[in-house]
Amino acid sequence: EVQLVESGGGLVQPGRSLRLSCAASGFTFDDYAMHWVRQTPGKGLEWVSSISWNSGRTAYADSVKGRFAISRDNVINSLYLQMSSLRAEDTAFYYCAKDRRAENYCYMDVWGRGTTVTVSS
Amino acid sequence: DIQMTQSPSSLSASVGDRVTITCQASQDINNCLNWYQQKPGKAPKLLIYDASNLETGVPSRFSGSGSGTDFIFTISSLQPEDTATYYCQQYDNLPLTFGGGTKVEIK
């Protein structure tokens, strides 16, 4: 079964850091680009960051550029999002998602269940 | 950034009705558009990719059309299990952007 399982969310104070993880199984992880997408309660979806199959290309939303870093470990089939200098507006439900392509960012065809990040003092 | 404008933001229809959602891009995105369904408390699910291609396993009552800046998502015969919020998403240019969503309810 193709599966993505996020972890690492929680309550964090403004200005602090947090690292999200996403464990992949049921597919050849290093064949596909991966994404992080977030959703605030009752609101819509916001793309956060993407990484190509071999980590050669990364991309970030302007709202997180310079504060967040996406990475992956193809040996242990895991995706990460290192979040620094967290702000209240980063409070959201974070999903990892698999693309159907390796190099380009197109279709998010598999999604995890998500993990909650709350930034508050 | 490419803005994706969805309408309506919500709708209520009866079982068996034909439901149409539109998505307008702020610039030409060719056919680089996907549609997702999100049920309450669940992750989004890819339904339509490349504007009109039905994802494997998705019922044929769902369809998509359009190209350029104007796109349409259709449910040909609304079913109770279609209660959800639907989002369009463009991938022609970074940043990837989503529409604001359309909440579909059963009347």
Side-chain angles (χ1 to χ4, degrees):
Chain A
E1 180 192 3
V2 176
Q3 195 171 14
L4 297 170
V5 179
E6 300 91 338
S7 60
L11 174 63
V12 61
Q13 292 179 328
R16 304 299 290 265
S17 298
L18 201 63
R19 188 175 88 152
L20 304 184
S21 300
C22 173
S25 59
F27 65 98
T28 305
F29 183 68
D30 58 9
D31 275 353
Y32 303 101
M34 297 292 295
H35 308 275
W36 288 100
V37 176
R38 67 186 181 185
Q39 185 169 34
T40 48
K43 295 270 179 83
L45 299 165
E46 180 189 13
W47 169 75
V48 174
S49 183
S50 302
I51 187 167
S52 62
W53 67 281
N54 64 351
S55 306
R57 290 177 63 221
T58 59
Y60 299 92
D62 283 347
S63 58
V64 307
K65 199 172 293 183
R67 300 187 299 121
F68 289 13
I70 192 171
S71 62
R72 63 191 295 162
D73 186 332
N74 288 345
V75 174
I76 60 170
N77 297 342
S78 292
L79 175 73
Y80 305 101
L81 186 68
Q82 179 68 47
M83 304 185 294
S84 305
S85 303
L86 280 162
R87 306 167 179 167
E89 54 265 35
D90 295 318
T91 295
F93 203 65
Y94 285 74
Y95 292 102
C96 77
K98 165 192 168 292
D99 204 291
R100 184 163 294 161
R101 296 187 176 175
E103 192 66 35
N104 295 320
Y105 310 134
C106 302
Y107 333 107
M108 301 173 193
D109 64 349
V110 179
W111 295 65
R113 292 187 175 183
T115 187
T116 299
V117 173
T118 303
V119 183
S120 175
S121 54
Chain B
D1 297 3
I2 297 175
Q3 308 302 317
M4 305 301 294
T5 304
Q6 258 183 265
S7 61
S9 57
S10 66
L11 66 89
S12 181
S14 300
V15 172
D17 281 355
R18 183 181 185 87
V19 167
T20 297
I21 299 169
T22 65
C23 182
Q24 186 171 58
S26 59
Q27 65 187 66
D28 189 338
I29 58 169
N30 300 294
N31 69 334
C32 299
L33 183 102
N34 304 319
W35 290 96
Y36 299 87
Q37 174 194 64
Q38 186 177 32
K39 295 185 177 182
K42 301 291 187 181
K45 174 186 175 183
L46 179 65
L47 298 183
I48 302 284
Y49 63 94
D50 290 345
S52 61
N53 293 303
L54 193 67
E55 178 71 347
T56 301
V58 174
S60 59
R61 64 180 180 273
F62 297 100
S63 65
S65 64
S67 185
T69 60
D70 296 300
F71 300 87
I72 295 173
F73 173 81
T74 301
I75 307 173
S76 62
S77 178
L78 187 67
Q79 299 301 304
E81 60 267 31
D82 300 335
T83 297
T85 300
Y86 295 83
Y87 295 92
C88 61
Q89 174 243 323
Q90 70 79 24
Y91 61 90
D92 187 62
N93 274 323
L94 289 173
L96 306 180
T97 48
F98 291 86
T102 297
K103 188 173 184 179
V104 174
E105 296 177 322
I106 302 294
K107 195 180 292 184

